[in-house]
Amino acid sequence: MSAPSGDDRAQRGRGGGRPTRDEAAAEITRLLEPAVTAAGFDLEEVDVRPAGRRRLVRVVVDADGGVALDDVAELSRTASEALDASGVMGASAYVLEVTSPGVDRPLTEPRHWRRAAGRLVVAPLTDGGQVEGRVVSADDASVVLDVVPARKGAAPARREFAYAALGRGRVQVEFRRTDEPDEPDDPAGEAAATRSPAEPD
C-alpha cells in the first residue's frame, strides 16, 4: 500500500546542487531510519528516481502484522517534514511516496522470512538446486519449511534451513492454496447465495 506525502504536491528541497540517486538514497536512509524505527517499523528500502521534472522518493517500510493506511499517512508526514528540514534533496523538486513491500520483495533478512509465515516460497540452495516450500516459522538463525514433495500427492516434508544455506527467497503468487479443501457441492446453498432478495422463499 502507498500514499503520497502531504497534499500530493511536489516539494522543493533547500540549498543548491543535485545529489546523485545513490547519494540521495543513502542520505535519506540515514535521515529517516531513526524516526521509522522509533515508530515501530523497519525501513526496508529507499529509492530515488526521475519522474518527469521531479524526483520520486519511494520509502518502503514494514512491520510484523503489516502496515496500515493510517501508519503510511503518519510516516509520510514525518518523512516529509524531515526531508524539508534537511535539504537533502538540494534544489530538486520531489514527490514522496511511503509504501509497504510488495509480494515481489526478496527474502533476504530473518524478519522477511518470519513475515512470510504461511506463504509458499522458493529459494536457491547455496550447494546447488533450489527448495520450494511453505514457511512454518523463522527465527534469527533459520527457517522451517514444509517442503513441496517432488512426487505429486506425497506429504510435505518439514525441514529446517540455516539462512547460510539459502539464497534470496521469493514468495510465490498463489491464486488458490493447494492445501485448501475443495468446496462441497451444495446446489441449494449456491441457489440461496445467488437468489434475488425479491424472490419468495
Side-chain angles (χ1 to χ4, degrees), residues 24-193:
E27 185 60 29
I28 292 169
T29 298
R30 286 191 293 268
L31 176 69
L32 299 184
E33 194 161 32
V36 172
T37 301
F41 299 90
D42 295 309
L43 180 57
E44 296 288 358
E45 181 186 2
V46 172
D47 184 45
V48 181
R49 64 182 59 202
R53 295 184 178 181
R54 307 170 181 175
R55 278 183 160 186
L56 173 63
V57 179
R58 186 170 182 267
V59 178
V60 181
V61 299
D62 200 8
D64 290 351
V67 184
L69 283 173
D70 288 346
D71 299 326
V72 169
E74 183 59 33
L75 288 169
S76 293
R77 286 191 290 270
T78 299
S80 178
E81 291 170 0
L83 287 173
D84 285 345
S86 72
V88 65
M89 296 302 294
S92 302
Y94 68 91
V95 173
L96 172 66
E97 180 187 71
V98 175
T99 184
S100 55
V103 70
D104 58 345
R105 186 264 307 273
L107 308 176
T108 58
E109 301 289 340
R111 64 178 182 271
H112 300 162
W113 290 93
R114 184 177 70 248
R115 291 167 185 164
R119 306 296 298 270
L120 186 66
V121 303
V122 63
L125 298 170
T126 54
D127 60 357
Q130 68 175 27
V131 61
E132 182 179 17
R134 197 169 302 280
V135 179
V136 176
S137 63
D139 57 25
D140 289 340
S142 62
V143 58
V144 177
L145 301 178
D146 278 344
V147 177
V148 174
R151 182 169 57 85
K152 188 174 181 180
R158 185 159 295 185
R159 293 181 58 190
E160 183 175 359
F161 295 87
Y163 295 120
L166 301 173
R168 293 159 63 95
R170 293 278 182 182
V171 173
Q172 301 299 288
V173 177
E174 296 181 272
F175 295 101
R176 183 178 181 280
R177 288 274 297 265
T178 56
D179 56 355
E180 288 179 345
D182 292 333
E183 292 293 332
D185 293 332
D186 185 5
E190 182 179 355

